[in-house]
Amino acid sequence: MASKLPDHVVWTPLPGSQMLFLSCPIFEALLEGTRGGGKTDALLMSFAQHCGKGFGEHWRGALFRLTYPQLADVVAKSKRWFYRIFPGIQFNESNYVWKWPTGEMLFFRYGSSEEDYWNYHGHEYPWLGFEELTNWRTLGFYEAMHSTCRSSCPNMPRMVRATCNPYGVGHAAVKARFKLGIEGAPPGTVIRESDQQPRVRIHSRLEENRHLLQNDPNYLPTLESIKDPNRRKAWLEGSWEIHAGAFLESVWQPQKHIVAPFPIPSTWKVWKALDWGYARPYAVYWFALDQDGCYYIWRELYGYGGKDNTGTREDAAAVAKRIKTIEEHDARLGYDYRQNLADPSIFSKIGADRSIGQIFKESGIRWQEAWNGPRSRVNGAQEIIRLLSEDKLKVFSTCKHWIRTIPALPADHMNPEDVDSDAEDHAWDATRYGLMRRRRMPEEERASAHLDHPDYQHENDCYSFNV
């Protein structure tokens, strides 16, 4: 196919992010930033720059998008350049694969979930590319595909490359993995974690793409005229400090709701709440209420297993020991935890000799049943919204997983009055248990609440607290 570009046009990387991306020696690299920075071209050339270098058929790559129709744009851009740069190259329209005269191959593929990995299990791609990484709700497929980034050929480069803008359903997952945003790592910082390959992110700006700005002078004004403030900040500024489409989008203001830690006065009421998890994270939060009716979430214990929505698989006795260690000096400071509220499901003994609640009790931590009756999820959500909108809920900046997960939670597509319970909502559940502590249990629920259960710690003020 003949290119429509003038004969004198030859692709060269733009100074700045494109050059950094193409020369990056780190195994995993993300090129993120504003719209119009030339990220797709850079992703294609990341693979193409190693063609004709003597690797031949051993240099194989797979470039992924979330769905098959989304591949059309990146295929069109590849045709724009590859036919000009590589004489004799061929593109198979039915199989969506480029083949170089020297044997190299680049496949265009798609996958939406972690289960789709099995379509590629056993494959060998020393180069992996992912276009618009924030289109994936979770990074399960992306991370699973890393196992295919290998080669039996010695001295073969191996790399995972991805691009994206802020915004999209996977905004929070990408932000967390690459430590983006104000409190994250600066661009170019190599992130090294145990048992993982190093990774880095490179920031791209529209101003770098002088060709686009010269050839399409209306592009910048188009971005500036976007009415949605979150989308404008994401696409024009490349800002990761947004939570577009999140359940709390209209009320969450991190500059107002996140506060620096300070000593909690002993005169304030204090308590804690638990959402239990084993394969999924458990979440324990300590609450405080000041004399003006402002709630503070001031301490966090979160069973984070190293990736989104994955737990540490600790048993209840081990978690109880952690809690006791954290609270070791609290009595000396004057803190009196009369309440320990937890999901009522931990008191069930179905199929077991002891309930999770009983294990906690034997380990020195007593829990009471949190209110979790009909519409409790919706009512709890409204209470969180009310407190945030009235500036009556503050979170210590040390509660990292609360800040990571709750502002980004999407609404349930079946029930827009609640968050998506398939998302990482464990901090959310513990929060609503803790904040609904003053709600009196309806009589019809009290009658069926098994208040005579041996694991149930009855107190007169269990469901109605005067403050």
Side-chain angles (χ1 to χ4, degrees):
M1 178 183 293
S3 171
K4 295 182 180 179
L5 292 170
D7 291 340
H8 67 277
V9 176
V10 177
W11 194 90
T12 56
L14 296 166
S17 61
Q18 282 192 344
M19 292 188 69
L20 290 171
F21 189 65
L22 266 62
S23 60
C24 179
I26 304 302
F27 174 78
E28 181 184 353
L30 172 72
L31 184 60
E32 53 78 27
T34 67
R35 295 288 297 269
K39 294 185 290 296
T40 303
D41 283 355
L43 184 64
L44 290 166
M45 296 305 171
S46 171
F47 177 82
Q49 68 178 334
H50 295 285
C51 294
K53 297 291 183 66
F55 298 119
E57 63 183 12
H58 296 288
W59 183 242
R60 293 161 52 89
L63 194 158
F64 288 93
R65 293 229 44 183
L66 177 69
T67 66
Y68 180 81
Q70 291 175 342
L71 288 168
D73 180 64
V74 69
V75 167
K77 289 181 178 178
S78 70
K79 290 178 178 179
R80 180 189 182 199
W81 293 113
F82 286 179
Y83 282 121
R84 293 184 58 80
I85 301 171
F86 303 100
I89 194 172
Q90 295 180 349
F91 184 69
N92 186 318
E93 295 283 353
S94 62
N95 199 28
Y96 261 32
V97 58
W98 284 103
K99 185 169 184 180
W100 273 254
T102 45
E104 299 89 348
M105 299 178 72
L106 175 61
F107 299 83
F108 292 110
R109 295 293 183 262
Y110 64 96
S112 60
S113 67
E114 189 169 354
E115 287 72 27
D116 289 331
Y117 157 77
W118 295 102
N119 294 327
Y120 308 97
H121 179 70
H123 291 202
E124 189 174 284
Y125 302 111
W127 186 92
L128 285 173
F130 295 83
E131 174 80 340
E132 297 296 349
L133 192 57
T134 46
N135 284 176
W136 280 267
R137 181 175 293 278
T138 73
L139 296 180
F141 175 72
Y142 171 77
E143 293 172 350
M145 285 302 300
H146 285 200
S147 66
T148 67
C149 188
R150 56 195 176 90
S151 176
S152 57
C153 181
N155 303 316
M156 173 71 69
R158 292 182 302 110
M159 62 188 72
V160 176
R161 297 292 181 260
T163 68
C164 71
N165 309 114
Y167 207 80
V169 295
H171 175 99
V174 174
K175 181 179 180 180
R177 181 171 182 82
F178 290 93
K179 302 188 186 304
L180 300 160
I182 294 175
E183 297 185 356
T189 302
V190 180
I191 301 168
R192 301 183 187 276
E193 297 179 342
S194 60
D195 301 324
Q196 294 190 35
Q197 292 272 25
R199 59 184 180 271
V200 68
R201 61 101 170 198
I202 297 165
H203 187 68
S204 170
R205 296 178 296 110
L206 172 60
E207 292 79 6
E208 296 174 340
N209 195 346
R210 61 182 186 274
H211 301 306
L212 175 61
L213 294 175
Q214 290 171 1
N215 297 330
D216 188 356
N218 292 323
Y219 188 74
L220 179 57
T222 298
L223 294 181
E224 292 173 336
S225 66
I226 295 174
K227 293 183 179 180
D228 183 336
N230 280 307
R231 189 172 299 180
R232 186 171 60 250
K233 286 185 67 175
W235 292 355
L236 181 62
E237 303 171 20
S239 173
W240 288 90
E241 298 306 311
I242 62 170
H243 294 287
F247 185 75
L248 296 178
E249 179 181 354
S250 63
V251 294
W252 173 250
Q253 299 181 48
Q255 68 277 11
K256 183 167 69 173
H257 296 129
I258 300 175
V259 297
F262 59 85
I264 298 296
S266 60
T267 56
W268 290 9
K269 294 182 183 296
V270 291
W271 68 100
K272 61 180 175 284
L274 162 76
D275 183 62
W276 174 247
Y278 178 73
R280 300 296 189 194
Y282 61 81
V284 185
Y285 287 95
W286 282 256
F287 297 78
L289 180 66
D290 70 14
Q291 290 84 349
D292 297 322
C294 185
Y295 292 82
Y296 290 84
I297 299 173
W298 58 283
R299 183 187 278 166
E300 174 182 74
L301 177 61
Y302 195 87
Y304 181 64
K307 64 179 183 178
D308 292 351
N309 218 6
T310 301
T312 53
R313 296 181 178 272
E314 297 174 81
D315 62 35
V319 177
K321 183 177 180 181
R322 284 178 175 270
I323 294 171
K324 291 189 69 174
T325 300
I326 289 172
E327 294 182 345
E328 185 175 3
H329 302 294
D330 284 2
R332 191 171 64 190
L333 296 173
Y335 301 154
D336 180 17
Y337 300 112
R338 296 190 65 199
Q339 300 168 257
N340 297 305
L341 301 173
D343 184 342
S345 66
I346 73 167
F347 299 103
S348 170
K349 292 201 303 184
I350 296 176
D353 294 332
R354 295 181 301 164
S355 69
I356 294 170
Q358 181 67 26
I359 295 171
F360 268 106
K361 181 180 177 181
E362 293 171 359
S363 302
I365 301 295
R366 293 172 177 264
W367 296 108
Q368 303 159 4
E369 291 188 28
W371 184 63
N372 201 29
R375 290 194 60 80
S376 61
R377 288 188 62 90
V378 171
N379 290 338
Q382 289 303 309
E383 182 69 358
I384 294 171
I385 290 171
R386 180 186 72 81
L387 291 171
L388 288 172
S389 63
E390 295 178 1
D391 198 20
K392 292 292 187 179
L393 177 59
K394 309 288 186 180
V395 183
F396 276 19
S397 59
T398 47
C399 296
K400 299 296 186 182
H401 293 287
W402 197 103
I403 296 169
R404 175 179 65 86
T405 60
I406 286 186
L409 283 173
D412 188 328
H413 70 282
M414 297 295 290
N415 180 9
E417 300 300 319
D418 192 11
V419 301
D420 184 352
S421 60
D422 290 331
E424 192 170 345
D425 66 341
H426 317 290
W428 173 269
D429 284 344
T431 299
R432 65 183 179 86
Y433 296 152
L435 294 179
M436 296 295 284
R437 60 191 268 280
R438 296 174 56 206
R439 189 175 186 89
R440 183 178 297 277
M441 175 182 278
E443 291 302 320
E444 61 272 17
E445 293 179 33
R446 179 179 293 273
S448 60
H450 308 295
L451 298 186
D452 58 347
H453 194 286
D455 291 345
Y456 176 76
Q457 180 67 25
H458 175 73
E459 293 186 13
N460 292 332
D461 57 354
C462 185
Y463 282 96
S464 180
F465 297 91
N466 298 315
V467 295

